[in-house]
């Protein structure tokens, strides 16, 4: 009897031990494997934030904060919201300098830095040309050469005056305008990532209209694998690249375009030197960089520069890699990019 009691006590203890272990294990693995994702419309596209390893309530909270950080950038940078920093800068061109938020100042300052680096291939003062062509709108059209020439008088990053002490921006010529469409999404990605970091998130992925930023390592894998859209067969992936961190942005002639009666594809990435859609031999340019704003600016810039000048520039920049799908077909990449083509 005594033996029997001893035995059942042991069994009970063992079972209890197992039970405790299972609870601990479940709690641990639940936290570790949890994936929570949310999408919202933003800047005319869709943004999706995915966080890993956080229970649902907290995940919802941090994702909401990250979206708010992104929405703030939209409110500051939109050309269509009358009270945005960009609208106020544009309305005051040729009149007076406009005080702006730290975020807008940083975006414009970085944009001008890259205008100088790319010899004007990237130029946020392209806005009057964007408005002239109206690509992607019902009113899209091919303007005359004289209209283009007149409008180009208003395009020059050299006429943007920044005052870092006062945090003001002044467009020197009346009628000048800026358009942050080639840079704001990348900056918004960065704002979202830094918000997630502030909340202690260790692992996350942001997909903002095709620009991807990652935080930490992916679950059970060494690298994040990012697919690159085929620029002519839209349900196909043409290649994939692997990254450990940072951001991947793609600029392409397939995203917003129309085909003219002349058979030419008129797309939304303009060469500031000609005032026409860039024809430099690229169908798409994907850039990997340590942060979103750099990847976004450079993908647009390299699209304008073309494969030769574009790759030469990338080779000079630390921690930046690039993959170009050429207009004639075929892929060229910077020397250190790890990629798989399909
Ligand atoms: P992305 O898709 O990042 O290449 O950005 C394209 C958008 O950037 C266009 O829709 C325009 O709003 C703007 N953009 C077009 N051409 C240029 C350029 N050469 N420099 C800066 N922004 C541009
Ligand atoms: Mg861009």
């Amino acid at each position: 009897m005594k033996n029997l009691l001893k035995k059942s006590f042991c069994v009970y203890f063992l079972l209890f031990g197992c039970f405790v272990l299972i609870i601990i294990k479940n709690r641990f693995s639940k936290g570790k494997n949890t994936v929570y994702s949310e999408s919202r419309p933003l800047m005319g596209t869709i943004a999706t934030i995915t966080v890993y390893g956080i229970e649902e309530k907290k995940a919802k909270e941090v994702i909401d904060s990250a979206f708010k950080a992104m929405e703030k950038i939209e409110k500051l940078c939109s050309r269509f919201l009358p009270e945005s920093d960009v609208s106020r800068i544009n309305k005051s061109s040729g009149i007076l300098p406009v005080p702006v938020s730290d975020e807008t100042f940083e975006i414009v300052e970085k944009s001008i830095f890259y205008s100088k680096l790319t010899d004007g291939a990237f130029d946020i003062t392209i806005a009057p040309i964007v408005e002239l062509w109206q690509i992607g709108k019902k009113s899209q059209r091919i303007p005359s050469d004289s209209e283009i020439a007149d409008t180009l008088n208003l395009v020059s990053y050299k006429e943007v005056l920044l005052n870092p002490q006062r945090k003001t921006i002044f467009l020197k010529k009346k009628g000048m305008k800026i358009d942050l469409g080639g840079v704001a999404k990348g900056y918004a990605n960065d704002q979202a990532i830094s918000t997630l970091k502030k909340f202690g998130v260790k692992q996350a992925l942001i997909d903002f209209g095709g620009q991807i930023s990652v935080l930490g390592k992916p679950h059970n894998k060494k690298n994040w694998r990012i697919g690159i859209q085929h620029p002519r067969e839209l349900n196909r992936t043409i290649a994939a690249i692997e990254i450990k961190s940072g951001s991947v942005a793609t600029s392409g002639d397939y995203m917003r375009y129309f085909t003219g009666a002349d058979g030419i594809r008129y797309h939304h990435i303009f060469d500031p030197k000609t005032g026409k859609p860039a024809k430099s031999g690229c169908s798409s340019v994907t850039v990997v960089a340590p942060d979103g704003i750099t990847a976004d600016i450079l993908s647009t810039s390299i699209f304008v520069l073309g494969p030769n000048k574009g790759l030469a520039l990338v080779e000079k920049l630390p921690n930046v890699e690039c993959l170009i799908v050429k207009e004639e077909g075929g892929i060229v990449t910077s020397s250190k990019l790890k990629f798989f083509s399909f």
Side-chain angles (χ1 to χ4, degrees):
M1 183 64 185
K2 212 175 167 190
N3 251 350
L4 198 70
L5 259 176
K6 216 173 172 182
K7 245 187 193 164
S8 48
F9 188 71
C10 279
V11 169
Y12 171 78
F13 228 82
L14 258 171
L15 279 177
F16 180 73
C18 284
F19 185 62
V20 170
L21 263 177
I22 286 168
I23 289 180
I24 290 172
K25 189 171 176 287
N26 268 349
R27 284 207 146 182
F28 185 67
S29 54
K30 202 176 166 196
K32 210 174 173 194
N33 296 328
T34 322
V35 181
Y36 192 80
S37 193
E38 201 183 311
S39 298
R40 290 189 194 173
L42 205 67
M43 296 190 199
T45 179
I46 303 285
T48 302
I49 300 179
T50 307
V51 296
Y52 301 82
I54 297 179
E55 52 94 12
E56 192 171 321
K57 190 166 167 275
K58 174 98 170 122
K60 277 185 177 166
E61 256 172 55
V62 300
I63 287 180
D64 188 55
S65 300
F67 272 125
K68 287 208 169 98
M70 294 173 109
E71 282 153 12
K72 182 176 181 197
I73 303 309
E74 179 175 30
K75 284 193 188 115
L76 295 172
C77 295
S78 167
R79 275 193 302 129
F80 309 106
L81 300 172
E83 286 314 308
S84 72
D85 278 355
V86 165
S87 295
R88 291 189 306 109
I89 294 166
N90 290 348
K91 271 186 269 183
S92 301
S93 65
I95 306 171
L96 43 85
V98 176
V100 297
S101 63
D102 291 353
E103 291 90 339
T104 306
F105 196 86
E106 192 185 343
I107 295 173
V108 173
E109 200 174 35
K110 275 246 165 80
S111 297
I112 303 294
F113 171 85
Y114 280 100
S115 294
K116 290 176 188 158
L117 194 75
T118 60
D119 189 26
F122 190 81
D123 193 334
I124 54 172
T125 67
I126 198 74
I129 288 288
V130 173
E131 288 181 355
L132 182 67
W133 285 78
Q134 300 275 312
I135 309 271
K137 304 238 170 77
K138 267 196 188 145
S139 44
Q140 61 192 6
R141 68 189 182 96
I142 304 169
S144 68
D145 285 349
S146 69
E147 279 178 291
I148 293 174
D150 285 349
T151 310
L152 273 179
N153 286 326
L154 298 170
V155 176
S156 174
Y157 67 91
K158 292 175 186 160
E159 309 284 319
V160 181
L161 223 71
L162 296 176
N163 185 325
Q165 280 80 39
R166 296 200 169 146
K167 289 267 160 69
T168 60
I169 298 177
F170 180 43
L171 308 179
K172 287 203 231 163
K173 277 190 192 166
K174 182 124 195 76
M176 272 181 83
K177 285 180 181 178
I178 57 168
D179 173 334
L180 302 181
V183 49
K185 270 195 260 148
Y187 186 77
N189 265 35
D190 293 340
Q191 294 295 94
I193 289 282
S194 55
T195 307
L196 296 177
K197 273 188 190 164
K198 257 186 236 154
F199 278 95
V201 176
K202 297 276 185 298
Q203 200 183 22
L205 184 136
I206 293 167
D207 178 349
F208 188 7
Q211 175 157 359
I212 311 276
S213 295
V214 299
L215 174 64
K217 269 188 173 183
H219 192 63
N220 285 342
K221 288 195 189 98
K222 263 173 123 179
N223 298 316
W224 301 87
R225 184 177 274 216
I226 318 279
I228 297 169
Q229 159 100 65
H230 193 300
R232 293 292 175 267
E233 296 168 47
L234 297 188
N235 50 5
R236 248 190 80 190
T237 305
I238 194 165
I241 51 181
E242 290 203 337
I243 57 165
K244 279 194 174 7
S245 61
S247 190
V248 181
T250 299
S251 293
D253 66 2
Y254 58 92
M255 293 174 178
R256 230 181 305 146
Y257 73 96
F258 69 93
T259 310
D262 49 11
I264 295 176
R265 179 184 287 247
Y266 294 98
H267 58 79
H268 69 138
I269 302 167
F270 293 98
D271 183 339
K273 294 207 161 64
T274 64
K276 295 179 180 174
K279 266 204 104 21
S280 60
C282 303
S283 287
S284 83
V285 175
T286 300
V287 170
V288 187
D291 55 74
I293 191 168
T294 308
D296 197 2
I297 292 179
L298 284 176
S299 65
T300 312
S301 309
I302 292 164
F303 193 103
V304 175
L305 289 171
N308 291 340
K309 285 187 189 164
L311 289 177
L313 171 66
V314 168
E315 295 297 344
K316 283 194 244 158
L317 301 173
N319 304 317
V320 176
E321 299 299 330
C322 170
L323 182 149
I324 298 173
V325 183
K326 293 204 278 182
E327 209 180 357
E328 67 201 41
I331 289 174
V332 284
T333 74
S334 55
S335 53
K336 289 198 217 107
L337 185 80
K338 288 199 187 85
F339 75 104
F340 312 86
S341 63
F342 303 123

